[in-house]
Amino acid sequence: MVVRIQDLPRRRYGMPGNAACPGCPEAMGLRYIKMALGDNVVLVIPAGCSSVIQGIWPKSGINFPILNIVFASAASAAAGMKAAFEMMGRDDVHVVVWAGDGGTADIGFQSMSGAAERNDDIIYIVADNEAYMNTGIQRSGLTPYGAWTTTTPLGKKEHKKNLPFIMIAHDVPYVATASVGYPHDFIEKLRKAAKIRGFRYIHLHAPDPVGWRFDPSLTPKVAQLAVKTGMWPLFEYDRGVFRLSPFSKPYKDPSKRTPIIEYLKLQGRFRHIIDKPEEIKKLEEYVDRLWYWIDALEKAFNPSEKARELLSRHA
Amino acid sequence: MTVMTLTGNYAVAYAVKLARVQVISAYPITPQTTIVEKLSEMVDTGELKAKMVRVESEHAALATVFGAASAGARAFTATASHGLLYMHEVVWWAAASRIPLVMAVVARAIGPPWNIHVDHQDIFDQRDTGWIISVAQENQEVLDLTLQAFRISEDPRVYLPMMVGLDGFILSHTMAPVDVPDQEEVDDWLPPRRQPYYIAPETGVVMGNIVPDDDYYMLRYSMQKAMEQAKKVIEEVDREYGKRFGRSYGGLVECTLCDDADYYIVITGSWAGEAKEAARKLREEGYRVGVARIRFIRPWPGEMVRELAARAKGLVVFDRAISFGSKGPLFLDVAATAYGLTSMRGVIGGLGGSDVTADDIAGVVRDFVGEVEEKGSVYEPLYWLFPAKYRGKFEAKEVVA
């Protein structure tokens, strides 16, 4: 299933007048959702930048039906909507949560974990810009080590929480990582997810020019560098099978990876550590650990036909 | 119609079934638990054709039914005490979204220290959220109110969610005979939910995005207008229900022994039963006492309370909750409505389920009447009806403005 740019719908899903910042990765990601899934979609959005991007009532800058909801319970509201559609004989409606890293990894984690455990039939997308951007760049559980935020003025002391792995451990049918730097990969994964029933989780890496301190024209480039340095591996877990995605395959070999410094030096949030080799080393070690996990998952979830049958119980 | 012996919680569950609720979500908490259990059983056995979303918290429970109702389904949840506090954020969100919903609240004290018995602190904590809030006196009324709640909440003049309060254990776990209407009768009286706005791919509806401040103000104004309309709707529904099913409660306020009363006990919840017994005793002694049982604390039945106050020599308001640093919340509403019209005493009793008997209530009223007759006018906003073993050890009448 190869996605070609020229085959994608040309309708505008992000309307002029929406309140996204220049170079906003969320405005990009939102467009791709409808490009991938068509119009049979409703969005559930908890507090975050996307609450603002919609613009001011009585208009909306995003061409979706949207239920805005409190920060902590987006997955629950989506589960309720899906239950309602099922009761009304409208099983085909895609209920999609579009949440930030705070609304997913931190304040919203409990409700998301609950929906995943129940295998509620929703698509959950986290647009991960690695901090609480809407409130003004505060650290989140998904902020990487060393990054400046307004609540970690000297750099964060902890590494990023590996949420996709946690979601695989929920034994849901589909977990994938994606990046706004690779829209066709994201769209392909959305389309694949749309064909599966149950809880589907897509973690979209979304570099943010305002919070990461880079030029708004560089959003796709920074996103791609995250993949090329190995900081953000693209993969999917599909009913028992773990696969590295084509764009990340080369970086299994550490020698093929772009040096991390190339990624860091574009971003003001790492300015205070780019001259400190011991700090860079911590991030390099993080990447090595991450790939150790990936290697292990690839080996573990490359099952025989028989095991695959067992693992794909959600299909 | 069938007469069944039901606990208050089962009365809720049977009403939910009769209302053909489509989506249910709840998280167990004592003393609400048997509602969730009974509904789970009804859904699993196919007795009730609904989706039951078994969530991981109350915050999620209300968000789930709110999501379902936003898509146009009839939805229900139930909670109590800490569960209600935990979902408080979503309580506000649901009301201001103008999404009809019904929630049973099994009234229970709030910790610490832990206490699972009844008072009304949890319900009054939701007072300002924009929900219609009713409180039942007994199990039959629990069933009737729960059924009526769907009609009231889904009325186009209202479009606000509604809570049905029932006292923990005293109603929730106590069996009583309950007339359960036939399904066909209920179907005829309660049509399927229709809502002009709902979220679906074809509607393009967006709910809850940012509004300019001035429009925000006007949306809040419209909620107050809907509350005013709800008063009419509640009276209408109560009358219609009476015609159809043979039971009417007087709408927002149920007045007992009121015709020639000089003094009124103002009270809400199951201990209104004790209040009525107290009034009967006092009448035998020659006191002309009536009971105004507040069935709806929101919308506040101001007109009726003012009418009573205008012809009364005095009101004794019983609160099973307190606004610390001020007075009982029911008293605050009564005083704001009736101040200057008559004498008043605000009584705090029964916190954390501590026992209050009909004799206790009669004693307070007798004492109050004596004072009014002696002094002519009395304003005592804070009178402590202490538990029996502490009575006399502390000063019951607190001097406050």
Side-chain angles (χ1 to χ4, degrees):
Chain A
M1 193 164 55
V2 176
V3 174
R4 296 190 308 174
I5 297 288
Q6 61 265 39
D7 296 338
L8 291 171
R10 276 153 203 275
R11 271 183 65 192
R12 289 176 96 161
Y13 296 116
M15 309 308 278
N18 75 61
C21 303
C24 174
E26 295 198 17
M28 295 159 74
L30 279 164
R31 278 204 301 276
Y32 304 144
I33 295 175
K34 267 208 172 178
M35 284 179 170
L37 303 180
D39 286 334
N40 204 17
V41 173
V42 297
L43 277 189
V44 177
I45 299 183
C49 284
S50 289
S51 328
V52 177
I53 293 172
Q54 294 164 50
I56 309 267
W57 179 90
K59 294 179 178 172
S60 171
I62 302 174
N63 197 1
F64 284 93
I66 300 170
L67 179 64
N68 286 284
I69 184 73
V70 294
F71 215 167
S73 279
S76 325
M81 283 191 102
K82 185 66 190 189
F85 285 127
E86 281 174 8
M87 282 305 294
M88 295 185 291
R90 304 187 61 179
D91 226 4
D92 58 327
V93 177
H94 293 299
V95 180
V96 177
V97 176
W98 173 262
D101 42 311
T104 303
D106 299 340
I107 193 170
F109 183 75
Q110 173 174 310
S111 74
M112 184 194 49
S113 176
E117 179 266 329
R118 294 187 303 271
N119 201 23
D120 285 328
D121 190 25
I122 59 175
I123 299 176
Y124 194 107
I125 304 168
V126 47
D128 178 11
N129 53 22
E130 300 191 333
Y132 305 151
M133 295 310 180
N134 193 42
T135 42
I137 324 167
Q138 292 86 28
R139 113 199 248 286
S140 84
L142 299 191
T143 303
Y145 178 86
W148 163 90
T149 68
T150 55
T151 49
T152 53
L154 302 178
K156 195 187 170 198
K157 300 283 184 286
E158 305 81 18
H159 285 290
K160 186 179 176 79
K161 173 163 35 171
N162 265 317
L163 205 48
F165 296 165
I166 297 169
M167 296 320 291
I168 292 173
H170 277 71
D171 196 18
V172 294
Y174 190 76
V175 174
T177 57
S179 162
V180 294
Y182 299 89
H184 12 7
D185 176 70
F186 179 41
I187 289 168
E188 191 183 323
K189 284 167 175 165
L190 279 164
R191 286 182 174 167
K192 192 177 281 185
K195 291 194 177 124
I196 300 167
R197 302 301 300 263
F199 191 89
R200 293 142 287 167
Y201 176 87
I202 301 179
H203 196 130
L204 179 71
H205 199 230
D208 178 326
V210 178
W212 297 16
R213 300 292 195 240
F214 62 79
D215 187 276
S217 66
L218 297 179
T219 305
K221 187 178 178 185
V222 172
Q224 287 170 3
L225 273 168
V227 172
K228 288 174 181 167
T229 51
M231 287 280 285
W232 186 249
L234 299 174
F235 58 80
E236 64 180 355
Y237 170 87
D238 180 5
R239 289 160 293 184
V241 181
F242 184 95
R243 286 185 213 97
L244 263 179
S245 304
F247 292 111
S248 271
K249 265 195 184 140
Y251 311 114
K252 219 180 146 175
D253 176 354
S255 71
K256 300 255 168 59
R257 291 176 203 156
T258 306
I260 283 174
I261 193 80
E262 299 298 317
Y263 175 60
L264 304 183
K265 75 182 187 192
L266 288 179
Q267 306 171 45
R269 64 173 174 162
F270 292 114
R271 186 181 299 137
H272 55 288
I273 64 165
I274 49 173
D275 297 327
K276 293 181 184 156
E278 71 284 5
E279 295 287 79
I280 307 287
K281 192 155 179 286
K282 287 200 170 128
L283 280 166
E284 284 167 351
E285 284 168 1
Y286 166 81
V287 171
D288 288 342
R289 280 203 304 279
L290 186 60
W291 283 86
Y292 184 88
W293 274 79
I294 284 170
D295 191 46
L297 286 167
E298 227 182 355
K299 285 189 182 115
F301 294 108
N302 182 16
S304 65
E305 274 306 310
K306 203 176 162 198
R308 200 162 158 171
E309 214 179 290
L310 172 73
L311 291 166
S312 68
R313 66 155 173 95
H314 291 299
Chain B
M1 189 200 78
T2 319
V3 179
M4 297 175 82
T5 307
L6 297 177
T7 61
N9 279 355
Y10 277 22
V12 170
Y14 277 95
V16 167
K17 179 191 153 194
L18 287 168
R20 294 193 187 278
V21 165
Q22 294 162 294
V23 178
I24 301 162
S25 181
Y27 189 77
I29 178 169
T30 305
Q32 154 267 32
T33 322
T34 53
I35 299 177
V36 193
E37 289 172 352
K38 187 68 186 168
L39 287 171
S40 298
E41 179 193 311
M42 286 174 168
V43 171
D44 275 7
T45 58
E47 192 181 343
L48 168 59
K49 199 174 165 294
K51 292 268 173 195
M52 179 93 192
V53 188
R54 292 152 174 106
V55 286
E56 79 297 330
S57 77
E58 288 88 358
H59 196 275
L62 188 53
T64 300
V65 293
F66 170 71
S70 300
R74 188 170 282 161
F76 172 83
T77 186
T79 190
S81 185
H82 287 261
L84 187 56
L85 302 197
Y86 190 45
M87 64 165 64
H88 186 65
E89 181 189 23
V90 198
V91 171
W92 279 86
W93 196 268
S97 300
R98 304 298 299 276
I99 288 296
L101 272 182
V102 176
M103 165 157 66
V105 175
V106 187
R108 167 189 148 180
I110 294 166
W114 287 118
N115 182 327
I116 56 171
H117 297 129
V118 62
D119 66 29
H120 295 150
Q121 202 76 55
D122 53 356
I123 292 180
F124 277 100
D125 194 63
Q126 314 304 313
R127 188 187 60 185
D128 304 333
T129 54
W131 283 60
I132 294 169
I133 303 174
S134 63
V135 187
Q137 189 200 315
E138 33 96 54
N139 292 357
Q140 180 69 60
E141 193 186 13
V142 169
L143 180 133
D144 295 337
L145 265 177
T146 308
L147 269 180
Q148 290 175 18
F150 292 98
R151 269 287 290 268
I152 295 164
S153 174
E154 294 171 15
D155 190 291
R157 290 166 288 176
V158 180
Y159 286 150
L160 288 170
M162 177 162 157
M163 284 178 206
V164 177
L166 60 149
D167 285 355
F169 294 103
I170 293 171
L171 300 188
S172 69
H173 286 63
T174 307
M175 299 229 254
V178 174
D179 284 355
V180 181
D182 293 335
Q183 185 68 60
E184 304 78 60
E185 280 278 295
V186 174
D187 287 346
D188 196 39
W189 178 77
L190 180 67
R193 174 173 166 136
R194 299 224 183 292
Q195 195 178 310
Y197 49 89
Y198 57 93
I199 293 188
E202 72 280 4
T203 63
V205 166
V206 174
M207 282 188 207
N209 62 334
I210 296 171
V211 299
D213 297 351
D214 296 348
D215 299 294
Y216 179 96
Y217 183 111
M218 296 314 289
L219 288 168
R220 290 300 186 260
Y221 172 74
S222 77
M223 287 171 73
Q224 177 66 13
K225 287 285 149 195
M227 276 287 182
E228 286 303 317
Q229 290 292 318
K231 291 183 185 174
K232 278 182 227 156
V233 175
I234 289 163
E235 306 276 350
E236 262 175 47
V237 168
D238 183 55
R239 273 197 304 275
E240 272 180 43
Y241 192 88
K243 274 185 211 151
R244 172 80 69 154
F245 301 103
R247 284 179 302 279
S248 256
Y249 296 87
L252 296 153
V253 180
E254 180 204 57
C255 231
T256 306
L257 304 171
C258 283
D259 288 346
D260 61 343
D262 292 328
Y263 294 91
Y264 295 90
I265 296 167
V266 183
I267 197 162
T268 191
S270 63
W271 64 341
E274 277 75 30
K276 288 174 189 173
E277 199 188 322
R280 281 187 203 101
K281 281 187 186 175
L282 288 163
R283 278 184 174 260
E284 280 168 21
E285 297 169 22
Y287 296 94
R288 293 202 295 198
V289 176
V291 177
R293 180 169 69 88
I294 305 296
R295 298 182 68 235
F296 285 80
I297 58 174
R298 285 294 177 274
W300 173 245
E303 293 81 358
M304 298 172 87
V305 170
R306 197 166 167 80
E307 210 177 283
L308 286 181
R311 64 172 196 249
K313 287 188 179 169
L315 308 176
V316 188
V317 184
F318 283 82
D319 262 293
R320 215 159 187 163
I322 183 164
S323 174
F324 294 109
S326 184
K327 290 119 195 158
L330 194 58
F331 178 83
L332 286 171
D333 267 327
V334 171
T337 307
Y339 185 76
L341 287 178
T342 188
S343 289
M344 285 179 212
R345 174 180 281 179
V347 183
I348 307 287
L351 300 181
S354 70
D355 197 30
V356 176
T357 65
D359 283 342
D360 294 338
I361 292 173
V364 172
V365 174
R366 213 182 279 118
D367 174 80
F368 174 72
V369 172
E371 258 194 57
V372 175
E373 302 286 331
E374 187 196 320
K375 295 180 186 163
S377 172
V378 170
Y379 176 70
E380 290 169 352
L382 201 49
Y383 181 99
W384 295 93
L385 177 54
F386 292 113
K389 72 171 180 178
Y390 289 106
R391 229 167 273 164
K393 294 178 182 162
F394 298 88
E395 184 53 52
K397 284 177 212 170
E398 198 162 310
V399 183
V400 290

